Amino acid sequence: MTKRVAILISGGGSNMVALAKSMTGEHPARPVLVLANSADAGGLAKAADLGIATAVVDHRPFGKDRAAFEAEMSKTLAAHSPDIICLAGFMRVLSGGFVNQWQGGMLNIHPSLLPKYKGLNTHARAIEAGDVEAGCSVHQVTAVLDDGPILGQARVPVLAGDTPQTLAERILPLEHQLYPAVLRRFAVGDRAIVNLP
Ligand code: GRF
């Protein structure tokens, strides 16, 4: 059975576009919803252009009431019956209660070679540490931030003179390859780790 995929975004949505465009033909999944936590998320228009249903659950009116924000997201998601949730540049921390609702069916892409550099400013931290390589990881989401089983990684060398921006520009195209490659496998229950290049 074709898997139904909801993609959660906060920003430009380039990973969302890569995921959505990959889900055609023989692919075992299809995008059914792009959900953003802000109406300003640039990816919403791109999703609509791709013919994907979109929704916004703005976190701001909920203030510190994370449970109420998540309940509203759950309601919106449930209306589209997703089997898999892909976080793609979604910049809100999710509680264990919310994550556990999806019973291991939630994925995230993080711009570091996890378990290194959970959280923010990953590229700056890799450069600062003198790392010789950097990259990105796709992992299953658990209640712990940027934790959970790693399903794929892509690596690039850190070059002399790299800045967080040049490193990000080198890694982002790999994110666009890695995430679809992992999702394609995950949708048929294959949890073997994808390594790029
Ligand atoms: C990506 O670098 C992703 O790894 C990180 O946020 C960025 C999102 O970019 N979590 P986009 O919205 O997919 O273009």
Side-chain angles (χ1 to χ4, degrees):
M1 259 253 292
T2 305
K3 292 282 170 29
R4 298 170 62 81
V5 178
I7 307 172
L8 272 53
I9 63 169
S10 295
S14 67
N15 276 290
M16 176 276 295
V17 169
L19 287 171
K21 286 189 169 170
S22 75
M23 287 184 262
T24 57
E26 296 302 300
H27 197 288
R30 288 291 183 273
V32 297
L33 177 68
V34 170
L35 173 59
N37 65 304
S38 167
D40 297 334
L44 286 168
K46 296 175 194 167
D49 284 349
L50 290 166
I52 307 168
T54 61
V56 176
V57 178
D58 193 329
H59 64 279
R60 284 164 291 204
F62 296 97
K64 291 192 192 310
D65 193 350
R66 190 187 304 278
F69 167 60
E70 291 180 343
E72 192 61 30
M73 283 211 296
S74 294
K75 207 166 95 186
T76 305
L77 285 166
H80 296 266
S81 309
D83 303 298
I84 298 171
I85 312 281
C86 289
L87 306 182
F90 186 70
M91 301 303 285
R92 308 303 302 170
V93 174
L94 298 169
S95 72
F98 181 82
V99 169
N100 291 336
Q101 274 179 61
W102 305 101
Q103 297 178 344
M106 187 182 287
L107 304 179
N108 181 41
I109 187 152
H110 183 72
S112 78
L113 293 173
L114 289 171
K116 282 188 160 183
Y117 314 129
K118 297 174 179 181
L120 299 175
N121 304 318
T122 53
H123 301 318
R125 289 156 70 197
I127 292 169
E128 175 73 17
D131 289 358
V132 295
E133 64 174 8
C136 53
S137 307
V138 175
H139 64 98
Q140 252 174 291
V141 178
T142 63
V144 183
L145 181 70
D146 297 330
D147 206 75
I150 292 169
L151 298 173
Q153 292 191 311
R155 308 179 123 76
V156 296
V158 178
L159 305 177
D162 258 336
T163 64
Q165 186 173 344
T166 60
L167 201 47
E169 283 166 4
R170 198 156 347 105
I171 291 171
L172 193 61
L174 284 172
E175 296 186 29
H176 300 161
Q177 291 176 40
L178 181 68
Y179 210 172
V182 171
L183 175 62
R184 183 181 286 266
R185 290 185 180 210
F186 189 79
V188 293
D190 180 353
R191 310 282 157 98
I193 294 173
V194 178
N195 279 301
L196 296 179

